[in-house]
Amino acid sequence: MATDGTADIVVVGGGMVGLASAIALKDRGLDVVLCDPGEARARTSYGNAGVVSRGSILPMSSPALWGKLPAYLRNADCGLRLHYAHLPRIIPYTAHFLAAARASRWRRAAAALLPLTTAAYPAHERLAARAGTGDRLQRTGWIKAYRTEAAFAAAALEREILASHGVAFEILDTAALRALEPALVRPYARGMLLTETGSVREPGRLIEACEALFDALGGRRLRSHVARLAPEAGGWRIDHDSGTVQARQVVLAAGAASGAIARTLGYRFAVAAERGYHRHYALHPDSPPLTRPVLDTGAGSILSPMGDHRVRVLSGVELNARRAAPDHTQIEAASREAAGTLRLGGPLDNAPWLGSRPSTPDGMPVIGRAPRHTGLLFAFGHGHIGLSTGPITGEIVADLATGRTPAVPVAAFAPERLLRWPRLL
Ligand SMILES: Cc1cc2nc3c(=O)[nH]c(=O)nc-3n(C[C@H](O)[C@H](O)[C@H](O)COP(=O)(O)OP(=O)(O)OC[C@H]3O[C@@H](n4cnc5c(N)ncnc54)[C@H](O)[C@@H]3O)c2cc1C
């Protein structure tokens, strides 16, 4: 097997989290190798909604789950699609998820995530300025839109928690929402505008620009798939498709593939791939532009402007094997609903894009040192907020790798919590 020599540290995975980590590690003066097969569309960081919000502190495992469970189990809510044949493979994830769906746990997760999401936008600004993509990051705010007063009332706990943490938002009635975002033709009962929020137009372009920045900093990229991480005296041997690298440290940032890689080292994380789809549509030429992302809570889908009068329609969560054949049920439903919300033309891409959110059951990422291996850092499991919190995670990883105390507290993100069975009471 060919050798690519040595490095101080190898980063496995070149999505938002891995790239940001690799750049921050270069900034600390380390010799960094980044391994990723390099298929842009295979990265979840390529195809997301681009929302970067301080208010993204409320995990999917919410107390509201229990009321929605009958519809979820029948696949009658387009926000979630279950593939029953896959469920036995994610029993630990599901057990943790159900245990986390309590108000007390929701509040605790929100408090732990707040410093991370608060640091997310400034970290994006710093990275975008260096990568030359500052014009793609716009502080637009984003809207959660409710079709009925009942749906709005059901989200009262969310508003209470956000307010208790000083997260800024404005409540809009039908007319105010229409005035703010005239592209919306659906008469929503209420909207919540989260103002401390930016959005990235075409997140894939940010990823490409970060690759170029890493190259310019002298980082080495291997367009290769890591097959094995092997601990050896004084460090690690990283076997990949076309060779091997030796390094003192490794960062596992392979998104939804991280759980399977960690398993080869004996770590059985309660994690899952939450699959999601997108499809682009042109807005009708006579429609006003959509100026900020909108979550249609009634459809469980996001409508995100991508520039050039284009909108990216994104689906909810599909629980299925990461590599299973695409199931377009949800994105087709989301697209039909979107056609009632915006004046849309036809789809702009041949087939929907599919990505996998690297999800943990408590909605918090795994960031920290591996409990049983020296020189192994975990940075995955960012679920629904990995585009936004990727850049700050990179800075945290670089601090941990160089023995500094991160600016953001990370105790709540420790790997250990997902390596044991949950306490149900
Ligand atoms: C529909 C949808 C909408 C979303 N909207 C938002 C949003 O608005 N805001 C937000 O913050 N987040 C959003 N997310 C979530 C966000 O996209 C993810 O959390 C984030 O992209 C995860 O980044 P990552 O770097 O961990 O993973 P990825 O971007 O998936 O990167 C992982 C990388 O690891 C590589 N890899 C895998 N296996 C190996 C291996 N063996 N060797 C080497 N490399 C490997 C892959 O090729 C890939 O490039 C959304 C996700 C979806 C699906």
Side-chain angles (χ1 to χ4, degrees):
M1 188 175 263
T3 178
D4 297 293
T6 59
D8 291 328
I9 189 160
V10 168
V11 178
V12 182
M16 188 72 264
V17 175
L19 265 167
S21 301
I23 289 168
L25 288 161
K26 272 309 294 174
D27 290 341
R28 306 290 199 278
L30 299 190
D31 179 19
V32 187
V33 167
L34 175 66
C35 274
D36 191 291
E39 295 152 29
R41 282 175 67 94
R43 296 169 189 164
T44 311
S45 301
Y46 167 92
N48 54 70
V51 176
V52 181
S53 179
R54 181 166 179 253
S56 294
I57 56 174
L58 294 159
M60 301 299 286
S61 44
S62 84
L65 168 80
W66 302 105
K68 291 183 175 176
L69 205 53
Y72 283 160
L73 292 174
R74 285 182 284 116
N75 276 330
D77 184 309
C78 47
L80 177 68
R81 186 159 179 81
L82 298 172
H83 288 263
Y84 279 92
H86 178 58
L87 291 190
R89 305 197 58 179
I90 53 168
I91 287 171
Y93 172 88
T94 310
H96 273 270
F97 192 92
L98 295 175
R102 286 178 284 151
S104 57
R105 291 281 305 271
W106 221 39
R107 288 180 194 279
R108 229 187 300 154
L113 285 167
L114 188 71
L116 194 70
T117 62
T118 300
Y121 192 85
H124 258 277
E125 277 187 318
R126 288 193 288 278
L127 190 59
R130 296 175 66 198
T133 58
D135 56 335
R136 294 195 173 276
L137 177 65
Q138 291 169 9
R139 205 169 171 87
T140 52
W142 85 302
I143 294 170
K144 295 191 180 185
Y146 301 89
R147 295 186 180 189
T148 61
E149 286 292 342
F152 176 70
L157 180 61
E158 170 176 348
R159 292 190 293 280
E160 185 218 301
I161 294 175
L162 291 173
S164 74
H165 288 297
V167 174
F169 59 85
E170 293 164 24
I171 301 303
L172 310 164
D173 62 15
T174 309
L177 184 54
R178 180 67 64 77
L180 180 73
E181 202 58 80
L184 299 176
V185 293
R186 188 186 293 279
Y188 287 102
R190 296 280 189 146
M192 175 163 73
L193 172 69
L194 287 121
T195 49
E196 297 165 294
T197 302
S199 59
V200 179
R201 304 277 151 111
E202 300 273 12
R205 299 279 170 271
L206 170 64
I207 297 300
E208 286 164 10
C210 285
E211 287 182 338
L213 172 61
F214 179 64
D215 293 348
L217 292 170
R220 284 184 282 157
R221 276 194 294 134
L222 296 176
R223 287 175 72 96
S224 208
H225 183 268
V226 168
R228 187 161 172 255
L229 300 176
E232 52 179 33
W236 289 85
R237 196 186 73 242
I238 296 93
D239 296 336
H240 58 92
D241 282 348
S242 51
T244 184
V245 191
Q246 284 172 310
R248 279 193 289 111
Q249 299 191 77
V250 182
V251 180
L252 180 55
S258 302
I261 298 173
R263 205 176 170 119
T264 64
L265 293 164
Y267 298 99
R268 298 165 81 91
F269 280 102
V271 291
E274 286 185 25
R275 305 204 313 175
Y277 300 78
H278 83 218
R279 192 147 209 196
H280 294 109
Y281 290 84
L283 274 172
H284 189 280
D286 296 338
S287 168
L290 182 69
T291 60
R292 53 180 66 75
V294 175
L295 168 64
D296 181 346
T297 58
S301 60
I302 298 179
L303 311 165
S304 193
M306 288 288 142
D308 300 334
H309 226 51
R310 281 179 313 132
V311 173
R312 181 176 281 185
V313 177
L314 301 106
S315 70
V317 168
E318 181 196 8
L319 281 178
N320 199 356
R322 198 163 51 89
R323 295 183 195 285
D327 170 358
H328 291 157
T329 310
Q330 275 175 302
I331 190 66
E332 283 168 5
S335 298
R336 279 194 301 276
E337 295 295 335
T341 300
L342 298 166
R343 294 177 66 197
L344 295 180
L348 296 171
D349 14 54
N350 295 332
W353 169 87
L354 165 61
S356 289
R357 303 173 186 89
S359 293
T360 62
D362 58 11
M364 296 191 285
V366 175
I367 309 174
R369 296 200 163 280
R372 296 192 298 274
H373 291 85
T374 305
L376 175 61
L377 280 160
F378 294 131
F380 60 85
H382 291 69
H384 293 241
I385 57 169
L387 187 273
S388 49
T389 57
I392 185 62
T393 298
E395 294 180 21
I396 294 169
V397 164
D399 283 336
L400 293 174
T402 53
R404 298 181 204 179
T405 305
V408 173
V410 290
F413 311 143
E416 287 82 350
R417 75 188 198 279
L418 297 180
L419 291 169
R420 47 179 185 254
W421 281 90
R423 286 206 345 260
L424 293 173
L425 294 172

